[in-house]
Amino acid sequence: MGWTTSWGSWNQGGLRLASMMMRKRRQTPQINCTNCLSRWMRKGLGRMRGVVRKGLRRMRGALRKGLRWVMTVMKDQTWRKMMWKKKGVPWRKKNCRRKMRPCRTLRVQEKKMLVMRRVSQTAPHLDSKYVPPHLRQSSEAEDAKRREELERLRKSVKGLINRLSEPNMASISGQLEELYMTNSRKDMNETLTNVVLTACITPAIMPDRLMMEHVLLICILHHTVGIEVGAHILETVVKQFHAQYEDITDNKECDNLITFIGHLYNFHVVDSRLVFDILKMLVSTFTERNIELILLLLKNVGFSLRKDDALALKELIGEAQNKANAVDKKFQDQSRVRFMLEIMLALKNNDMRKIPGYDPEPVEKLRKLQRSMVHNIASGSDTRLRVSLENILEADKVGRWWIVGSSWSGAPMIGQSSAKTSTQAVGKVSAKIMDLARKQRMNTDIRRNIFCVVMTSEDYLDAFEKLLKLGLKDHQEREIVHVLIDCCLQEKTYNPFYAFLSSKFCEYHRRFQMTFQFSMWDKFRDLGSLSSTTLSNLTRFLGHLIKCKSLPLSIFKVIEFSELDKIKVSFLRQVLYKLLTDSEADELAVIFGKISDNPKLGMLREGLKLFISHFLLKNVRAQKTAEEAELLAQKADLAVKALQAKEGKLRL
């Protein structure tokens, strides 16, 4: 109705015109009424709407592609101009607003150059190995994670150091030990060194009390965690001092450094050798600045040096006097030199009153605290670092021999004139030890490491510490016992080194004592296969362990005294004769009395009494002198009485 009304008002001329326009399409019939016109107009509008929508979609896609291309081209427009000019193609044709499009070959080269340029921007070093993006992102994430962990560790250590004082010294050291257990020692050493030196080495003079508290903390960690803590801090401080001691500015960092080194000596982290080397270095140059440093160091450690090595201090004082006489008129102010000589003379005469400001009470008080905190440490020896100044300054070249497990690259040792000769000598020694380990059937890495440590140690205490530092676990520790016994038995002549080292391990923990006991029982079963030299070494080795109370006399309970052969009789006779002749009466009472009150060892007691009376004392007067025979008989009688006693100790 609406369409009819709207089109009914059209005149006849408009109707004829619309009919002519619609007849241009072949499939369209002639329009004679307004209803037909309205129907075909609706169809036409629908077609026009579809065409417009399709055109808009195409235009939108073309615009997007064009914008992306324009942005890429405009971004590298300068580079494209340069490349096209290099190829001989003009950038813009004269009298033409359109850009010339290069040929297909040039476009391919352009794309290659664009890719190479982008790669060069992301990887500046084209000669380095290519790292895929996913690996590159993972490595960057790992680096960021590690930096975050180190920063968290630094904040933890710094928070503990900031709260450090004498009352909470134990709690702070305990928390730092826990950090050492949960973090890498390398990271902890570097972090602790940086935090402590930042707190102590300041441009102004550090108060002595704060300095001593920080050094005391280092000393406690040096005993509880390991000597690598003190060694790392000592090396860092000494190198910084060596680089700054000739500085003539008013900066007091060098004074704080030498005070730090002096307190490391006061708290027994380092030996007096390093302090004397520093004093000799300062005396050799003998400038006004060095005289101040000498006075500062002698004020802190002078009397301790006199107690440790009075002869070396006397030589140092004589050298300083000669140096002062040689440069008599060099300094404008001679009072400083005279004051230094007076201080040295007071140290030589042990006169504390002539040293101004000398107060040993704070150091002694903190030393008492140190002894109370580290007296339970089972180190078994002195942990002071006996290194020289030259050792520390050349540590990067020749290694750090004072740290157990520190690697050495094979560089020549200090004092060798010929590097080639020294390197060859070290190589021969190393090859000789490894060849000896192979001959001794050290066929595993653990056994070879133990063998090399034992062979290259200075004494049995040094070997004991180094073997503990290997960090062997459970059954790996048993290899220490096996290696020691094998090395001792295969010596051409008896070496008491292995017996002392074995006794040290038995005193350290009972598990080593049990391992030695089982190993001895294995040897008792194979006595017939041992050579005379091996049997003699075993006899003296076992006698030493029993005498030192490292092994009990009950170790012979596995021997059947009713079925003894010649080899076992000879072995027992040598062991008991060695034990009776080398031990005192009190020691024999303790050794034989330990098995007197155990009802399970009744057969052993009876067997020992019969063996002593029938095999040891029989015909002894014909083989020994009268005095030796009488002494042996007295000690044998004392041993028999100790076996019959009810108590663990014989009451004389």
Side-chain angles (χ1 to χ4, degrees), residues 279-286 294 316 319-320 323 344:
L279 288 172
K280 290 177 182 178
M281 179 186 66
L282 296 175
V283 170
S284 63
T285 53
F286 210 72
I294 292 172
L316 178 68
E319 184 179 353
K323 203 74 174 180
M344 288 185 172

Side-chain angles (χ1 to χ4, degrees), residues 593-646:
K594 282 186 177 180
I595 63 174
S596 63
D597 57 348
N598 192 345
K600 296 181 180 180
L601 300 178
M603 295 297 296
L604 175 61
R605 289 193 296 270
E606 296 298 326
L608 286 175
K609 287 189 291 185
L610 290 174
F611 187 88
I612 291 174
S613 60
H614 287 80
F615 292 99
L616 189 61
L617 298 179
K618 190 177 182 180
N619 299 326
V620 68
R621 297 185 181 274
Q623 300 175 359
K624 305 292 180 181
T625 62
E627 295 180 358
E628 293 179 353
E630 184 67 23
L631 181 62
L632 181 62
Q634 292 178 1
K635 290 189 176 181
D637 184 57
L638 183 62
V640 172
K641 289 181 180 179
L643 290 174
Q644 296 174 351
K646 299 296 183 180

Side-chain angles (χ1 to χ4, degrees), residues 441-468:
R441 298 188 297 276
M442 304 299 166
N443 50 7
T444 63
D445 292 337
I446 297 176
R447 286 200 168 196
R448 278 192 292 270
N449 292 338
I450 296 171
F451 181 81
C452 292
V453 168
V454 172
M455 292 296 110
T456 57
S457 299
E458 297 180 359
D459 53 14
Y460 77 97
L461 292 177
D462 184 41
F464 174 73
E465 291 182 359
K466 290 181 179 179
L467 289 174
L468 288 183

Side-chain angles (χ1 to χ4, degrees), residues 113-235:
M113 293 292 291
L114 182 61
V115 172
M116 292 296 293
R117 180 171 174 268
R118 290 177 177 173
V119 170
S120 64
Q121 291 177 352
T122 56
H125 303 285
L126 294 176
D127 54 345
S128 61
K129 186 178 179 181
Y130 173 71
V131 180
H134 66 284
L135 295 180
R136 197 182 310 144
Q137 294 177 358
S138 62
S139 62
E140 292 176 356
E142 291 177 359
D143 293 341
K145 183 178 179 181
R146 175 167 176 76
R147 286 194 298 270
E148 183 180 355
E149 292 176 354
L150 291 177
E151 182 64 22
R152 189 183 304 113
L153 178 63
R154 187 190 67 81
K155 290 182 179 179
S156 301
V157 175
K158 188 175 181 180
L160 295 174
I161 297 298
N162 290 339
R163 298 195 303 271
L164 180 64
S165 62
E166 182 181 350
N168 62 1
M169 184 69 67
S171 62
I172 296 296
S173 62
Q175 295 180 51
L176 287 174
E177 289 177 31
E178 294 178 359
L179 288 177
Y180 266 100
M181 295 295 292
T182 56
N183 294 278
S184 169
R185 288 207 170 189
K186 177 179 179 298
D187 295 339
M188 272 300 300
N189 286 336
E190 293 177 354
T191 304
L192 181 64
T193 302
N194 293 333
V195 172
V196 171
L197 295 187
T198 302
C200 296
I201 312 304
T202 57
I205 289 291
M206 184 73 173
D208 286 341
R209 182 74 179 184
L210 293 178
M211 183 78 75
M212 287 188 290
E213 289 176 352
H214 285 80
V215 177
L216 177 59
L217 176 65
I218 300 302
C219 174
I220 295 172
L221 296 176
H222 178 80
H223 283 82
T224 57
V225 177
I227 61 173
E228 61 270 14
V229 179
H232 188 274
I233 292 181
L234 176 66
E235 181 180 347

Side-chain angles (χ1 to χ4, degrees), residues 172-407:
I172 296 296
S173 62
Q175 295 180 51
L176 287 174
E177 289 177 31
E178 294 178 359
L179 288 177
Y180 266 100
M181 295 295 292
T182 56
N183 294 278
S184 169
R185 288 207 170 189
K186 177 179 179 298
D187 295 339
M188 272 300 300
N189 286 336
E190 293 177 354
T191 304
L192 181 64
T193 302
N194 293 333
V195 172
V196 171
L197 295 187
T198 302
C200 296
I201 312 304
T202 57
I205 289 291
M206 184 73 173
D208 286 341
R209 182 74 179 184
L210 293 178
M211 183 78 75
M212 287 188 290
E213 289 176 352
H214 285 80
V215 177
L216 177 59
L217 176 65
I218 300 302
C219 174
I220 295 172
L221 296 176
H222 178 80
H223 283 82
T224 57
V225 177
I227 61 173
E228 61 270 14
V229 179
H232 188 274
I233 292 181
L234 176 66
E235 181 180 347
T236 306
V237 172
V238 170
K239 287 184 176 180
Q240 287 188 12
F241 171 75
H242 188 266
Q244 298 181 11
Y245 82 98
E246 293 182 350
D247 189 6
I248 59 175
T249 60
D250 294 335
N251 198 341
K252 298 300 182 181
E253 290 186 1
C254 194
D255 296 35
N256 291 329
L257 287 170
I258 200 169
T259 304
F260 196 93
I261 296 173
H263 288 309
L264 286 175
Y265 167 69
N266 281 332
F267 292 104
H268 304 296
V269 176
V270 66
D271 194 59
S272 61
R273 181 181 178 184
L274 176 64
V275 181
F276 277 115
D277 288 345
I278 293 175
L279 288 172
K280 290 177 182 178
M281 179 186 66
L282 296 175
V283 170
S284 63
T285 53
F286 210 72
T287 61
E288 294 184 359
R289 176 61 173 162
N290 293 345
I291 292 174
E292 292 181 1
L293 297 176
I294 292 172
L295 290 173
L296 182 60
L297 186 57
L298 289 178
K299 178 182 175 182
N300 291 319
V301 301
F303 287 100
S304 299
L305 290 176
R306 188 180 185 276
K307 293 179 182 178
D308 288 347
D309 197 346
L311 182 60
L313 182 61
K314 183 179 179 180
E315 294 177 356
L316 178 68
I317 293 173
E319 184 179 353
Q321 290 175 346
N322 296 332
K323 203 74 174 180
N325 295 330
V327 293
D328 191 11
K329 298 181 180 180
K330 180 180 177 180
F331 304 118
Q332 298 178 357
D333 188 7
Q334 296 293 329
S335 60
R336 196 184 301 272
V337 179
R338 289 195 300 269
F339 180 67
M340 182 194 70
L341 295 178
E342 290 176 0
I343 294 295
M344 288 185 172
L345 187 61
L347 291 174
K348 182 179 178 181
N349 298 329
N350 198 18
D351 190 359
M352 299 183 183
R353 297 172 300 173
K354 292 186 178 181
I355 301 179
Y358 177 72
D359 185 12
E361 184 178 356
V363 177
E364 292 299 330
K365 184 178 180 181
L366 291 179
R367 276 184 180 176
K368 187 182 295 184
L369 177 62
Q370 172 196 359
R371 288 191 293 269
S372 66
M373 295 183 66
V374 302
H375 74 283
N376 291 326
I377 305 302
S379 59
S381 66
D382 191 5
T383 58
R384 285 184 291 185
L385 300 171
R386 293 175 173 83
V387 295
S388 63
L389 179 62
E390 191 176 6
N391 291 146
I392 294 179
L393 297 180
E394 299 291 334
D396 294 333
K397 298 180 181 179
V398 300
R400 298 165 178 83
W401 58 264
W402 55 91
I403 301 178
V404 178
S406 180
S407 61

Side-chain angles (χ1 to χ4, degrees), residues 18-52:
S19 178
M20 291 173 61
M21 292 175 64
M22 296 299 295
R23 275 201 309 270
K24 291 182 179 180
R25 300 178 61 92
R26 294 180 180 180
Q27 71 275 15
T28 304
Q30 185 177 0
I31 299 174
N32 296 320
C33 64
T34 57
N35 291 332
C36 295
L37 179 61
S38 63
R39 185 173 62 254
W40 284 104
M41 286 295 290
R42 285 195 299 271
K43 289 184 178 179
L45 289 174
R47 291 193 184 101
M48 288 176 66
R49 192 181 299 114
V51 171
V52 169

